[in-house]
Amino acid sequence: MTAFKRGFSRRRVLQTGMAGILSTGVAPMIFTKGAWAQEQDFCNNPTGDTVTIGLNLPLTGAYAEEGADEQKAYELAIAHLNGEGDGGLISVMTPSALKGNGILGKRVTYVSSDSQTKSDVARAGATRMIERDGAIMITGGSSSGEAIAVQGLCQEMGVIFMAGLTHSNDTTGKDKRRYGFRHFFNAYQSGIALGPVLGQEYGNERRAYHLTADYTWGWTQEESMIAATEALGWETVAAVRTPLGSTDYSQYLTPILNSGADLLILNHYGLDMVNSLPQAVQFGLRDREANGKQFEIVTPLISELMAKGAGEAVRGVFGTSNWHWNQQDAGSIAFTKSFGAAYGSPPSQAAHTAYVQMLLYADAVERAGTFYPPAVIAALEGHEFDGMGNGPTLYRAEDHQCMKSVLVVQGNESPTSEFDVLNVIQEVGRDVTTYDPTIFGGELGPAEPVPLCA
């Protein structure tokens, strides 16, 4: 039985906080670095001079381009943690316990697995990296289906999961887990940020038609956008589900022409949106009028990679983003400079969240003084930080969702380069995007580790 289990329950730690327990004067032997370091019964406790991180990435499938950019960012973050390169965000993040000498003096290495943008493949890959390769932490994913599957596995095995790109409300809602943490924003926050802008631009008498990727992200994005737009006074004409990875959307676009809708909301991401948006434009939707209004298209979640892939079709289209490389804060400038020097192009929002998650995990381990998962979890829960490109950010303890600002973006009508595809038109502050953590239900579960990755 561990010292954590002997002396204090997880519930008491969460209710009183580490500071509260320390103030009792009875806990130093449990919470000091030396005491934590004596814990041996947790999965893949690194005893040598290296520590292994597992990168679970969609390098094939509908979200492959996002996955490839995430891999670049993870490799860059690992180089910076090991003291290589220009250090990236290490010098600007606050507070920071990172020293540029690995994590707790251990050189960071990694193994990787192609999730193929499939949840079952992602879970199998994560299992393999934990059991075969000794990964102490798993990170990655560009699909919420993958993220939820891997997060559940990591909870079972006692290995922390630092989610990459996942936008479903369920990730930190009904499917949240104590061992899972998400830096990326969610669909509900997209609705909060985007709804008022759509009302300003398109009025309060629109009739919206939804095409939605048929899995957890699409469902919660559709739900969030319906709530946000119906609050404006809009009517939802139809919500039609499309298979993830579709290439031909003609059968889904044709019915829109006679539906009575005057606006299409594409709840698609990655290659799905790169295919569906240009096809919608080719169908003439943006050239027609309906109900006495110009027909419009909205993509609630959009990245630079998607905008570039969609070409001219994205011009003027509204959406939301987690981050944009052209932001002028110190963190965004530092990361864009490092990534650009390494790879010859600006980073995407997928790359940014991947990089930040790697640093946040390493920093939490340094602050905890141990890789012991309950201590790392305690260091992450309720952690406030800045300098990472999103302004002052809180890793909320109740659901492990980061609270920060959200960007409303629009396809650039007059791009000056292949990378100048999105304009940030509004930054919606954390005070607006923060919501009650209980609205989506779910339970985080225990923090006690599972011995020997059982």
Side-chain angles (χ1 to χ4, degrees), residues 229-249:
T229 55
E230 290 187 352
L232 299 172
W234 292 17
E235 177 185 347
T236 303
V237 174
V240 177
R241 306 290 168 81
T242 62
L244 182 64
S246 296
T247 56
D248 182 0
Y249 288 89

Side-chain angles (χ1 to χ4, degrees), residues 56-60 113-119 121-122 141-142 146:
N56 210 17
L57 302 165
L59 301 177
T60 55
S113 180
D114 178 11
S115 67
Q116 303 174 29
T117 322
K118 297 177 181 177
S119 300
V121 177
S142 291
E146 295 176 61

Side-chain angles (χ1 to χ4, degrees), residues 397-427:
E398 293 87 348
D399 56 359
H400 296 185
Q401 174 64 53
C402 271
M403 292 293 117
K404 57 184 185 295
S405 60
V406 171
L407 304 180
V408 177
V409 297
Q410 185 179 26
N412 194 347
E413 296 277 12
S414 303
T416 58
S417 74
E418 62 178 313
F419 307 116
D420 182 29
V421 289
L422 291 176
N423 289 330
V424 177
I425 63 167
Q426 187 173 336
E427 182 173 353

Side-chain angles (χ1 to χ4, degrees), residues 168-376:
S168 170
N169 296 333
D170 294 343
T171 307
T172 48
K174 72 178 184 64
D175 294 309
K176 60 178 172 273
R177 295 292 183 268
R178 183 73 61 186
Y179 276 70
F181 291 85
R182 170 165 62 181
H183 170 262
F184 208 73
F185 70 139
N186 65 21
Y188 185 77
Q189 291 171 312
S190 282
I192 292 172
L194 187 56
V197 173
L198 296 180
Q200 281 184 337
E201 294 290 329
Y202 301 139
N204 58 4
E205 295 181 350
R206 284 285 180 168
R207 304 189 76 227
Y209 194 108
H210 290 251
L211 290 183
T212 299
D214 193 12
Y215 77 108
T216 177
W217 168 69
W219 305 334
T220 66
Q221 180 66 90
E222 175 189 286
E223 176 184 45
S224 298
M225 288 307 299
I226 287 176
T229 55
E230 290 187 352
L232 299 172
W234 292 17
E235 177 185 347
T236 303
V237 174
V240 177
R241 306 290 168 81
T242 62
L244 182 64
S246 296
T247 56
D248 182 0
Y249 288 89
S250 56
Q251 63 177 306
Y252 303 106
L253 293 168
T254 301
I256 299 173
L257 299 172
N258 298 314
S259 68
D262 49 49
L263 186 143
L264 171 61
I265 297 179
L266 285 174
N267 300 302
H268 289 161
Y269 195 76
L271 191 58
D272 283 7
M273 179 272 196
V274 170
N275 286 321
S276 65
L277 178 58
Q279 288 176 33
V281 173
Q282 290 163 11
F283 259 68
L285 290 182
R286 294 187 73 183
D287 297 326
R288 69 194 301 262
E289 288 190 358
N291 306 321
K293 303 177 181 68
Q294 180 67 38
F295 198 99
E296 303 289 353
I297 303 175
V298 174
T299 57
L301 177 64
I302 190 168
S303 74
E304 304 88 334
L305 297 174
M306 292 160 55
K308 182 180 175 183
E312 292 187 2
V314 80
R315 296 184 182 182
V317 172
F318 288 99
T320 59
S321 292
N322 188 68
W323 177 81
H324 189 271
W325 64 268
N326 202 27
Q327 295 287 88
Q328 293 303 299
D329 60 278
S332 296
I333 291 171
F335 181 53
T336 300
K337 178 183 176 183
S338 292
F339 192 95
Y343 304 113
S345 63
S348 66
Q349 62 175 354
H352 175 259
T353 205
Y355 180 98
V356 170
Q357 283 285 70
M358 184 69 76
L359 262 58
L360 287 173
Y361 172 77
D363 179 71
V365 173
E366 292 283 355
R367 288 186 290 111
T370 177
F371 290 97
Y372 185 54
V376 180

